[in-house]
Amino acid sequence: MLYQVLGWLKAKADDYVQRIVIRILAAGPVPKHVAFVMDGNRRYARSKHMRVQEGHSDGFVALRRLLGICLRLNVRCVSVYAFAIDNFKRPPEEVDALMTLAETKLKELCRHGDLLQQYGVRLNVVGRKDMLPGSVREAVRVAEEMTRNNDRAILNLCMPYASRDEMTHAVQAAAQEKADSVGYPLVDEKDIEKHLMTSTAGSPPLDILVRTSGVQRLSDYMLWQSCEKAQLHFSTTYWPEFGLSDFLPIILDYQRKQWTL
C-alpha cells in the first residue's frame, strides 16, 4: 500500500497535493533536527550526460525543495553537508565552480521574500570558514548577518566541514575554557558537546540523518551528533532527484518509532 502511495505521490508533482501530504505528516511527531548528506550530484550529472557543474546546480534546487518540505513540516533545524574539507582535493575547476555556486546561491537564499525570510530561518555556515575564498566569506558574512534575528528555524550549511575537525576544535576550546576558569584542562563529554560547531550555532540534538545516492557511510559528517539517538537512513536516490516521495517513508518510520516508545 505504501509503495502505491509513493508511486502516486511521485506522479503527482503539483504543489497542492504535496501540501496536503505534508499537513497530514505534520499532525504527527516531527523531528526537531534533520541532517542530509547531499550525495550523488556528479553521478546524477553523468547519468543525464550533463556537466558536473550542472549536477551541483540541480543539487541546490533539491536543497531548496527539501528545505521547503522540512519547514512546512515544522522541522526546527536542517543541516546539510554542502562541502567537505576533503573536497578541496577535487580538480581545481570543479572546486572553483562549487565556490562560485556557493557565493551565488548564498546571495539568492537571502533575497527579500525568499524561503529564509518567509519562514524566519537563521542561516549558519558551519565549518572552517577561513578556508573559503574571500568573496565567499563575504557572502557568508552578509547572509548570516541578514538572518541573524530570524528565530523560527535554523539552516546549517556545513562548509568546509569535517566531523573530526569539528571535534578537535571542540576539545581544544573546552580544554582552554577549563584551563582559564579552574586552572586545569579536565574536560568531559558535556564540555565537548557544548563547543561543537552545531551546538554553538544553536542546533537541537540530531534526530535523523539521511544520505542519498545509495552510499552507506557517514564520510566524516556529524559523527558525534549521530552516535546516540539519531536515526540513520540511506536512500538510493541521487540528491538532485530526492523529493517528498523519498522523504515520506523516512518521516513515517520516525513517527512509528516515536509512537512505540
Side-chain angles (χ1 to χ4, degrees):
M1 179 64 179
L2 177 59
Y3 291 110
Q4 292 175 324
V5 172
L6 294 178
W8 174 82
L9 183 59
K10 186 164 284 190
K12 289 285 186 180
D14 61 273
D15 191 58
Y16 177 72
V17 172
Q18 294 202 4
R19 284 181 181 273
I20 292 175
V21 173
I22 290 170
R23 190 172 298 176
I24 294 171
L25 286 175
V30 174
K32 292 183 174 64
H33 186 178
V34 178
F36 295 98
V37 180
M38 305 184 293
D39 194 22
N41 290 349
R42 293 189 291 176
R43 279 169 286 160
Y44 160 84
R46 287 194 292 268
S47 72
K48 302 291 184 181
H49 307 289
M50 301 161 56
R51 293 181 302 141
V52 170
Q53 293 89 332
E54 293 175 287
H56 289 307
S57 184
D58 283 1
F60 177 80
V61 175
L63 169 57
R64 287 179 58 90
R65 180 168 63 246
L66 265 295
L67 179 59
I69 290 170
C70 288
L71 293 174
R72 282 183 280 175
L73 274 172
N74 298 316
V75 174
R76 166 70 179 163
C77 180
V78 176
S79 297
V80 295
Y81 204 1
F83 192 87
I85 291 176
D86 276 353
N87 287 160
F88 282 114
K89 298 175 183 177
R90 291 182 178 180
E93 60 273 14
E94 183 179 351
V95 173
D96 291 343
L98 282 168
M99 292 295 104
T100 300
L101 180 66
E103 181 182 352
T104 301
K105 297 308 182 181
L106 278 167
K107 293 175 181 177
E108 183 178 316
L109 273 174
C110 294
R111 285 177 186 163
H112 182 69
D114 206 88
L115 271 176
L116 301 189
Q117 305 301 340
Q118 179 183 349
Y119 286 94
V121 181
R122 184 174 77 248
L123 174 70
N124 302 313
V125 174
V126 175
R128 294 285 302 278
K129 289 182 275 192
D130 59 297
M131 300 177 72
L132 295 169
S135 60
V136 181
R137 287 200 305 273
E138 176 60 16
V140 167
R141 186 194 66 77
V142 171
E144 291 185 327
E145 179 61 26
M146 284 183 64
T147 63
R148 182 169 54 88
N149 295 321
N150 293 348
D151 58 5
R152 290 174 57 192
I154 296 169
L155 171 61
N156 294 323
L157 287 179
C158 299
M159 59 175 284
Y161 175 90
S163 189
R164 287 172 295 177
D165 178 77
E166 177 186 33
M167 288 187 282
T168 299
H169 282 81
V171 170
Q172 292 171 341
Q176 187 62 57
E177 182 181 62
K178 286 284 187 175
D180 291 342
S181 60
V182 297
Y184 55 90
L186 182 61
V187 301
D188 57 25
E189 288 185 13
K190 290 183 179 179
D191 296 318
I192 297 171
E193 187 159 359
K194 171 185 172 183
H195 288 281
L196 292 173
M197 295 174 184
T198 50
S199 299
T200 58
S203 310
L206 182 64
D207 295 308
I208 297 174
L209 188 149
V210 181
R211 179 167 187 156
T212 57
S213 87
V215 176
Q216 297 190 19
R217 59 177 183 267
L218 296 183
S219 296
D220 207 4
Y221 185 57
M222 290 202 175
L223 303 180
W224 181 288
Q225 294 88 338
S226 63
C227 70
E228 190 174 355
K229 296 180 180 179
Q231 297 179 17
L232 307 182
H233 292 271
F234 300 97
S235 170
T236 57
T237 304
Y238 292 143
W239 173 253
E241 298 176 311
F242 192 84
L244 180 57
S245 61
D246 304 286
F247 196 39
L248 176 60
I250 294 171
I251 294 297
L252 289 176
D253 182 66
Y254 173 84
Q255 294 181 335
R256 178 182 60 81
K257 289 175 179 175
Q258 292 300 305
W259 280 322
T260 56
L261 287 178

